[in-house]
Amino acid sequence: QKEVEQDPGPLSVPEGAIVSLNCTYSNSAFQYFMWYRQYSRKGPELLMYTYSSGNKEDGRFTAQVDKSSKYISLFIRDSQPSDSATYLCAMSARNQGGKLIFGQGTELSVKP
Amino acid sequence: DVKVTQSSRYLVKRTGEKVFLECVQDMDHENMFWYRQDPGLGLRLIYFSYDVKMKEKGDIPEGYSVSREKKERFSLILESASTNQTSMYLCASERTSGTYNEQFFGPGTRLTVL
């Protein structure tokens, strides 16, 4: 079983839809949770970061962490064609050298 | 503006060739990483380095080696390329802050081994 599981998609939605991207994990030591966005032919860029459980909002994006269920989510409201990209969850634990463990990535396409 | 550059965007090599992939960062970061990215497998860590001349194996180091002679430069070496090393290779440099560590990625090198 992989430490981090992410539905690879692809996911196709119409413009304006609410998008939910999810990851599950097995290592209860993970404390830092990140979402990276990767546009085609580019490297990933950090989109959002959350420490431990809770929600964090940044514009149209909301990151949610539920440590009791070992489940994290990224919500995109009012999705735009410019949101079309691959989204990767990543997580780390300080007592494990801080190495990032990535999910497989979900490819999202937002159609105008 | 932070910048991580990789020596090539696309590379085609033959089986058995020695391949060098170079990565340079201009942010004075101590930590640097090499990943490969394959469909359905996400990013997998090959090697990383926390300082000059220092290297640590990641999750899939077999068939690879690295070199870190200067702080800003981290090279990935395929001693004898094989077809199963056809992949996208991503280099990252890491900023360590009090709260969390953020990795900055280069644009990637798509390597094809024939």
Side-chain angles (χ1 to χ4, degrees):
Chain A
Q1 183 194 3
K2 290 185 176 146
E3 274 192 289
V4 180
E5 296 275 4
Q6 183 177 5
D7 186 344
L11 187 60
S12 182
V13 301
E15 184 175 354
I18 296 174
V19 176
S20 171
L21 304 168
N22 310 295
C23 288
T24 59
Y25 63 94
S26 57
N27 188 346
S28 57
F30 287 144
Q31 302 167 288
Y32 305 94
F33 303 92
M34 281 144 274
W35 286 95
Y36 279 79
R37 179 173 60 194
Q38 184 177 21
Y39 289 115
S40 181
R41 290 185 290 277
K42 303 267 188 176
E45 291 179 303
L46 182 65
L47 181 63
M48 294 198 70
Y49 154 80
T50 312
Y51 171 69
S52 195
S53 280
N55 291 2
K56 186 171 186 178
E57 191 172 319
D58 183 2
R60 297 184 293 109
F61 297 88
T62 300
Q64 217 171 60
V65 174
D66 182 348
K67 288 196 75 179
S68 62
S69 302
K70 297 192 182 71
Y71 191 88
I72 72 169
S73 299
L74 178 71
F75 298 97
I76 308 174
R77 289 186 301 281
D78 187 26
S79 56
Q80 302 295 309
S82 59
D83 296 327
S84 298
T86 296
Y87 290 80
L88 300 117
C89 62
M91 39 199 89
S92 68
R94 189 165 285 281
N95 64 358
Q96 294 175 356
K99 276 169 46 182
L100 279 183
I101 308 298
F102 285 87
Q104 297 93 315
T106 300
E107 186 182 345
L108 171 67
S109 177
V110 181
K111 304 291 187 189
Chain B
D1 198 17
V2 298
K3 194 129 187 190
V4 179
T5 56
Q6 294 185 229
S7 50
S8 306
R9 293 300 303 272
Y10 299 94
L11 211 50
V12 179
K13 295 291 181 182
R14 298 214 172 267
T15 302
E17 280 192 81
K18 192 168 185 175
V19 182
F20 293 87
L21 303 181
E22 294 214 314
C23 175
V24 178
Q25 51 100 357
D26 65 358
M27 296 164 282
D28 202 35
H29 291 162
E30 291 181 346
N31 303 347
M32 296 186 74
F33 302 79
W34 273 106
Y35 296 90
R36 62 177 283 176
Q37 184 175 28
D38 300 287
L41 297 177
L43 272 68
R44 292 181 292 166
L45 183 62
I46 305 171
Y47 266 97
F48 59 103
S49 169
Y50 287 153
D51 204 350
V52 174
K53 298 203 186 286
M54 179 267 178
K55 58 187 178 186
E56 292 281 348
K57 290 180 180 179
D59 300 316
I60 51 163
E62 296 78 20
Y64 303 94
S65 62
V66 290
S67 172
R68 184 115 182 252
E69 295 296 319
K70 292 185 177 182
K71 191 175 187 179
E72 66 271 17
R73 190 179 297 268
F74 191 34
S75 302
L76 180 70
I77 303 152
L78 286 67
E79 295 289 343
S80 178
S82 63
T83 54
N84 63 12
Q85 292 178 310
T86 291
S87 186
M88 169 70 86
Y89 289 87
L90 289 161
C91 172
S93 161
E94 187 175 64
R95 177 177 64 195
T96 53
S97 70
T99 311
Y100 67 97
N101 297 352
E102 180 177 356
Q103 293 191 9
F104 297 87
F105 286 84
T109 296
R110 185 165 294 282
L111 172 68
T112 302
V113 183
L114 302 175

